[in-house]
Amino acid sequence: MSKGLPETRTDAAMSELVPEPRPKPAVPMKPVSINSNLLGYIGIDTIIEQMRKKTMKTGFDFNIMVVGQSGLGKSTLVNTLFKSQVSRKASSWNREEKIPKTVEIKAIGHVIEEGGVKMKLTVIDTPGFGDQINNENCWEPIEKYINEQYEKFLKEEVNIARKKRIPDTRVHCCLYFISPTGHSLRPLDLEFMKHLSKVVNIIPVIAKADTMTLEEKSEFKQRVRKELEVNGIEFYPQKEFDEDLEDKTENDKIRQESMPFAVVGSDKEYQVNGKRVLGRKTPWGIIEVENLNHCEFALLRDFVIRTHLQDLKEVTHNIHYETYRAKRLNDNGGLPPGEGLLGTVLPPVPATPCPTAE
Amino acid sequence: MAVAVGRPSNEDLRNLSLSGHVGFDSLPDQLVNKSTSQGFCFNILCVGETGIGKSTLMDTLFNTKFENDPATHNEPGVRLKARSYELQESNVRLKLTIVDTVGFGDQINKDDSYKPIVEYIDAQFEAYLQEELKIKRSLFNYHDTRIHACLYFIAPTGHSLKSLDLVTMKKLDSKVNIIPIIAKADTIAKNELHKFKSKIMSELVSNGVQIYQFPTDEETVAEINATMSVHLPFAVVGSTEEVKIGNKMAKARQYPWGVVQVENENHCDFVKLREMLIRVNMEDLREQTHTRHYELYRRCKLEEMGFKDTDPDSKPFSLQETYEAKRNEFLGELQKKEEEMRQMFVMRVKEKEAELKEAEKELHEKFDLLKRTHQEEKKKVEDKKKELEEEVNNFQKKKAAAQLLQSQAQQAGAQQTKKDKDKKNFFFM
């Protein structure tokens, strides 16, 4: 439509005498670098404080999805992560409640506050995943849900009169629970992660890690890492999105050594060495959830919440959402004439999940 | 596979209490760290007459000597000149762009003076809008050139605003955050200054000019913003030269009658301006530009292009659908035009064909006519030929007859002569 560069115009009214000078583009020229530390304090660095205040006022959204077969401890882990009764556990289900016949998507929102920071946390549970006898395509409802959230956001963004702050329901992080068989990944795991690693940030997690000894654990992790690599599954943090060297080294360390995190979850506290800790009590000892010698829960928690929370959101917004948007806008260009006129119902999002972009 | 989806509605949000330290209170830090590594953009537009002290004020505000040759008064029109600088303070990198209006207020006819300014601001919004509308876009590392703050320099006449000022500010107030300042404030005495300020503010209000309101919704800044707002428009003095005051060097202007200290709040409002512009509200200025001015521009632009948001019955995917609709419309028109052209072509061909047929017919007729005439002539000629032949025949006959007669006559004559001779001979004998 128009050129991307701004241009200045000259007022030609008074230019009979002077030949009209060529309008100089008002594109900022190559920035001149000035280190102002030498010349006195200006106060530019206060923008950090200003920004922080603003973001604290608006609050944050975070949407985390947990996927895995029932009984792997998903709800317990989420409760442990956020130190509150975020999910109702399966054991508290009514005996008459059966395992759902199909994959259900249940999203429950919570508001939690800490240190003046308000967070709207949404936990999306997927009961029924991998529980049927025939589990073909059981990832489809999940992929559909994720794409629906992108669609919702896109619709809001494309409005003429937009909301000041578009509510963000997109899935920022998907914890995938791997069963601690000790051997390798199951075909279902591979299939799921292959399909979904392209639309959402997947963090694979080895559940119920207290069933493995230290050697078994490290061997299993190595095998899982190898299998993921062989199958071309890029889990979060994806190599291609490392921004600078610092990120790369930090993330490399996580990718190659720590992930997938072998975790144990618990919301019960016990007394150990005079301290109250979250743990699991067994005849042979108490497994401390937050003890790095016992399991890697603390690493997962720090990773997801304390260091990479913002990054998870940004990768979702800048990369996954943009991919979806580009694909959606491109696809719509191929609408046959006659459809897509004002006043008709929105052309349906393709029934099968969008084939994920490369 | 059927899917039952449960979505949280706002009423269902449960408030949870945490039983321990989770750690997401580091989220603002995470956010800020990301922005710090990327750097910030801040763009200031300075509008004011030539020589009113724009460049000096910028130099003073940012403690540097930006490269700037003073402009002449002979500019044929208003021109915008943008310069970018990268400033760094501790670990914060700021990409500062200062846009200057060169030649503002110099022309004899200033009717169109505001136009280049409005066009420049719109062009920045347009560039951002274009980027946002792209299919493959990269907004997160887009160099934002939209103007975040407009410092409007008011000449220190001591009376009131000039009409040029009012007109320009009115045109700009819906597009940019305007912060009016009184330039060269050291030419006004204190008591006159107070009157001048109130006059300006009341004129702005009565003319409906919306200047930037310092935000008062957040407790930490509400107080300071409220107290500062009272002093609008800020009366500033700029100087990059340092004068020894007491035992310190301070930025000041030295006059025979005294020294005007820039950073002395009794002398001028420079410190207040710096506080408000940079140290307290820089982020808010950026946010207002994005959420208010840019959204307004975007809305107007899209509506202008013919996009509507919702229809009474359904909620279409407006941009896409309207785009599709427009495209179809355009294609339809194209087709119609093609049809028209084709039809015209066919018609022309037919006409030409008819013409040619006519011509052909005429030629045929001519040919026939000629043929007939030719035949007639031929017949005439043949008739004449016959006549001639007959005549010739007759003549031949006559000639033959005549010859016969002649020969007969000759014979007779010869006989006669012989007879005569004999007779003669007889006589002689």
Side-chain angles (χ1 to χ4, degrees):
Chain A
M1 266 192 237
S2 64
K3 353 121 217 179
L5 295 176
E7 271 192 335
T8 50
R9 318 281 175 82
T10 47
D11 189 330
M14 304 299 292
S15 61
E16 312 101 0
L17 304 171
V18 179
E20 185 170 341
R22 265 194 67 73
K24 285 210 194 102
V27 174
M29 298 174 281
K30 184 171 178 317
V32 176
S33 211
I34 300 178
N35 192 338
S36 61
N37 275 335
L38 311 165
L39 303 154
Y41 179 66
I42 302 174
I44 299 173
D45 52 0
T46 53
I47 193 169
I48 295 188
E49 242 341 278
Q50 298 174 28
M51 223 184 183
R52 184 179 292 140
K53 279 198 210 127
K54 270 209 182 285
T55 48
M56 296 224 342
K57 205 174 71 146
T58 49
F60 302 89
D61 287 342
F62 190 63
N63 309 316
I64 186 168
M65 180 186 259
V66 284
V67 183
Q69 292 170 305
S70 43
L72 280 181
K74 304 190 290 288
S75 311
T76 315
L77 186 70
V78 174
N79 289 346
T80 323
L81 261 179
F82 292 101
K83 294 245 167 66
S84 48
Q85 288 293 320
V86 174
S87 319
R88 279 189 328 150
K89 284 181 287 186
S91 58
S92 64
W93 277 4
N94 206 324
R95 287 289 150 151
E96 275 91 55
E97 270 183 58
K98 305 187 195 84
I99 290 178
K101 288 238 166 56
T102 58
V103 179
E104 286 178 359
I105 314 258
K106 286 208 183 110
I108 307 169
H110 315 270
V111 173
I112 44 182
E113 189 177 328
E114 188 180 64
V117 179
K118 241 197 202 159
M119 181 150 93
K120 177 163 156 278
L121 173 72
T122 308
V123 177
I124 302 148
D125 203 354
T126 53
F129 177 82
D131 288 334
Q132 276 76 44
I133 294 177
N134 180 359
N135 285 311
E136 257 179 22
N137 297 335
C138 63
W139 54 82
E140 272 178 19
I142 299 173
E143 202 176 338
K144 184 159 172 246
Y145 176 81
I146 294 175
N147 282 335
E148 270 170 16
Q149 306 317 305
Y150 289 146
E151 181 71 25
K152 249 208 285 190
F153 195 87
L154 182 60
K155 269 214 198 113
E156 287 286 343
E157 200 187 34
V158 150
N159 264 342
I160 306 278
R162 298 198 281 211
K163 293 200 183 110
K164 200 156 185 185
R165 201 166 151 257
I166 302 177
D168 193 357
T169 53
R170 303 170 293 187
V171 178
H172 300 127
C173 168
C174 175
L175 291 181
Y176 186 77
F177 285 70
I178 300 172
S179 201
T181 57
H183 295 172
S184 61
L185 288 173
R186 293 209 180 110
L188 176 62
D189 302 334
L190 286 170
E191 277 303 303
F192 177 86
M193 284 199 269
K194 235 194 259 182
H195 278 98
L196 289 209
S197 57
K198 300 198 178 83
V199 289
V200 73
N201 298 320
I202 292 194
I203 298 181
V205 163
I206 299 175
K208 299 206 163 171
D210 50 345
T211 58
M212 295 188 285
T213 62
L214 286 176
E215 296 88 35
E216 287 169 356
K217 209 193 295 186
S218 69
E219 272 177 26
F220 186 42
K221 278 170 56 153
Q222 259 189 329
R223 254 186 303 232
V224 168
R225 272 199 293 269
K226 189 117 196 297
E227 261 189 291
L228 290 176
E229 197 184 317
V230 160
N231 280 285
I233 295 171
E234 281 258 6
F235 52 84
Y236 180 84
Q238 295 93 338
K239 273 196 213 97
E240 44 184 340
F241 306 143
D242 282 338
E243 280 174 7
D244 50 37
L245 194 58
E246 202 185 302
D247 278 352
K248 192 167 173 344
T249 41
E250 190 191 325
N251 289 340
D252 267 346
K253 190 160 173 294
I254 296 174
R255 276 191 291 260
Q256 283 152 18
E257 292 171 17
S258 327
M259 286 186 86
F261 298 109
V263 295
V264 174
S266 167
D267 43 10
K268 294 202 174 61
E269 287 191 338
Y270 296 96
Q271 192 91 322
V272 171
N273 290 340
K275 283 198 301 174
R276 288 201 63 80
V277 288
L278 287 171
R280 285 171 63 75
K281 189 159 185 204
T282 64
W284 48 90
I286 295 183
I287 304 164
E288 294 164 48
V289 164
E290 280 171 316
N291 186 337
L292 277 172
N293 291 327
H294 291 197
C295 79
E296 293 168 356
F297 169 79
L299 287 180
L300 173 69
R301 179 201 56 207
D302 288 346
F303 179 67
V304 171
I305 299 180
R306 295 187 188 172
T307 53
H308 284 72
L309 192 63
Q310 183 59 25
D311 190 55
L312 279 163
K313 289 175 58 163
E314 290 204 356
V315 171
T316 308
H317 178 67
N318 292 331
I319 295 169
H320 295 300
Y321 169 69
E322 288 293 322
T323 313
Y324 176 82
R325 177 181 174 276
K327 185 140 210 327
R328 184 87 167 93
L329 293 184
N330 260 331
D331 273 353
N332 256 341
L335 270 183
E339 288 183 23
L341 294 169
L342 272 178
T344 60
V345 174
L346 167 71
V349 176
T352 57
C354 285
T356 50
E358 287 308 293
Chain B
M1 275 191 176
V3 175
V5 182
R7 304 246 173 82
S9 55
N10 277 330
E11 307 89 55
D12 293 349
L13 288 180
R14 295 149 45 178
N15 271 303
L16 292 177
S17 51
L18 305 172
S19 57
H21 179 66
V22 176
F24 62 85
D25 52 354
S26 62
L27 194 49
D29 289 319
Q30 295 180 35
L31 179 70
V32 162
N33 282 339
K34 277 240 172 261
S35 310
T36 328
S37 56
Q38 277 176 346
F40 301 92
C41 281
F42 196 60
N43 309 318
I44 304 181
L45 169 68
C46 294
V47 181
E49 303 168 353
T50 312
I52 206 169
K54 305 188 283 288
S55 313
T56 315
L57 185 68
M58 288 294 111
D59 287 350
T60 324
L61 257 180
F62 292 102
N63 272 335
T64 52
K65 195 115 182 61
F66 296 125
E67 294 283 320
N68 260 321
D69 311 311
T72 69
H73 287 274
N74 295 326
E75 296 280 341
V78 179
R79 194 163 50 89
L80 279 94
K81 197 164 64 166
R83 288 217 161 97
S84 269
Y85 307 94
E86 251 189 49
L87 303 174
Q88 177 144 10
E89 204 165 68
S90 47
N91 60 339
V92 177
R93 276 184 307 126
L94 182 74
K95 288 190 207 104
L96 176 73
T97 304
I98 299 181
V99 185
D100 217 345
T101 50
V102 180
F104 187 77
D106 276 336
Q107 295 78 38
I108 296 176
N109 179 1
K110 299 187 262 246
D111 275 344
D112 294 335
S113 288
Y114 69 87
K115 283 201 188 135
I117 306 177
V118 170
E119 277 165 4
Y120 180 84
I121 297 176
D122 279 346
Q124 309 317 306
F125 284 148
E126 184 66 30
Y128 190 88
L129 183 64
Q130 288 306 313
E131 182 66 28
E132 204 188 23
L133 288 179
K134 274 193 195 157
I135 294 193
K136 262 206 159 156
R137 59 188 191 180
S138 58
L139 278 177
F140 52 91
N141 55 6
Y142 176 79
H143 177 64
D144 194 359
T145 52
R146 301 173 294 182
I147 303 288
H148 300 123
C150 170
L151 294 178
Y152 196 94
F153 288 70
I154 300 171
T157 57
H159 301 312
S160 62
L161 283 173
K162 297 190 182 151
S163 42
L164 173 66
D165 296 337
L166 278 171
V167 164
T168 313
M169 278 204 264
K170 198 83 178 72
K171 292 278 177 196
L172 294 179
D173 68 354
S174 58
K175 293 193 179 285
V176 74
N177 301 315
I178 299 185
I179 302 177
I181 58 182
I182 301 173
K184 298 197 167 175
D186 50 352
T187 54
I188 312 184
K190 256 255 161 85
N191 49 345
E192 292 172 352
L193 186 63
H194 192 69
K195 265 201 306 186
F196 190 33
K197 280 191 184 181
S198 356
K199 189 85 203 315
I200 293 177
M201 289 311 276
S202 63
E203 276 198 331
L204 288 176
V205 165
S206 59
N207 281 284
V209 174
Q210 306 257 7
I211 57 171
Y212 175 69
Q213 301 294 325
F214 298 121
T216 47
D217 46 1
E218 214 222 310
E219 322 82 46
T220 42
V221 295
E223 203 189 307
I224 188 172
N225 277 340
T227 37
M228 293 292 188
S229 301
V230 169
H231 296 274
L232 275 175
F234 297 126
V236 293
V237 174
S239 171
T240 45
E241 273 147 27
E242 303 209 323
V243 173
K244 198 167 170 88
I245 311 215
N247 54 352
K248 279 199 305 174
M249 295 295 282
K251 290 196 278 263
R253 286 175 64 75
Q254 179 138 55
Y255 289 106
W257 47 88
V259 178
V260 178
Q261 294 159 37
V262 167
E263 280 170 320
N264 184 334
E265 292 210 49
N266 287 327
H267 290 196
C268 73
D269 296 330
F270 172 79
V271 172
K272 295 195 179 75
L273 174 67
R274 185 177 58 195
E275 273 298 307
M276 287 291 98
L277 185 63
I278 302 178
R279 295 187 190 170
V280 177
N281 297 308
M282 192 149 81
E283 184 57 27
D284 185 68
L285 284 162
R286 281 156 39 106
E287 194 183 306
Q288 290 287 327
T289 307
H290 180 67
T291 54
R292 212 151 55 100
H293 301 296
Y294 169 69
E295 285 295 314
L296 183 65
Y297 174 82
R298 176 179 176 274
R299 204 179 327 148
C300 293
K301 193 73 199 293
L302 291 180
E303 276 175 5
E304 193 183 290
M305 297 205 298
F307 294 110
K308 289 195 283 279
D309 242 348
T310 57
D311 264 356
D313 318 316
S314 53
K315 282 183 164 212
F317 190 170
S318 62
L319 205 72
Q320 197 49 41
E321 275 206 346
T322 348
Y323 180 68
E324 265 306 304
K326 277 203 175 285
R327 205 171 83 140
N328 287 334
E329 215 183 287
F330 175 71
L331 282 176
E333 262 190 49
L334 204 72
Q335 264 186 329
K336 221 168 51 171
K337 279 220 170 99
E338 247 186 80
E339 263 305 308
E340 261 178 49
M341 279 184 76
R342 202 178 303 140
Q343 281 191 355
M344 232 175 51
F345 178 70
V346 167
M347 217 167 63
R348 283 248 183 88
V349 165
K350 276 211 178 109
E351 271 178 27
K352 208 47 188 251
E353 210 177 13
E355 259 179 49
L356 285 173
K357 271 217 172 97
E358 272 290 322
E360 194 183 25
K361 215 163 82 173
E362 265 181 43
L363 277 175
H364 272 296
E365 278 181 10
K366 247 196 188 160
F367 178 68
D368 280 339
L369 192 68
L370 278 174
K371 196 161 161 198
R372 254 182 290 140
T373 335
H374 170 72
Q375 289 230 7
E376 278 178 16
E377 291 277 313
K378 192 166 168 193
K379 200 157 152 243
K380 274 198 194 146
V381 165
E382 293 233 330
D383 283 348
K384 278 229 168 105
K385 187 171 167 195
K386 256 197 209 147
E387 262 185 45
L388 197 69
E389 275 188 8
E390 262 190 47
E391 273 192 37
V392 166
N393 271 348
N394 283 347
F395 176 73
Q396 294 279 71
K397 276 194 196 144
K398 274 197 184 155
K399 184 175 171 192
Q403 269 190 336
L404 192 63
L405 260 172
Q406 208 180 31
S407 66
Q408 273 186 339
Q410 254 187 347
Q411 238 181 347
Q415 272 184 342
Q416 192 63 2
T417 354
K418 207 173 166 198
K419 266 186 187 170
D420 273 345
K421 252 180 171 180
D422 283 342
K423 238 179 182 184
K424 246 175 186 185
N425 290 338
F426 201 56
F427 275 131
F428 283 118
M429 302 163 41

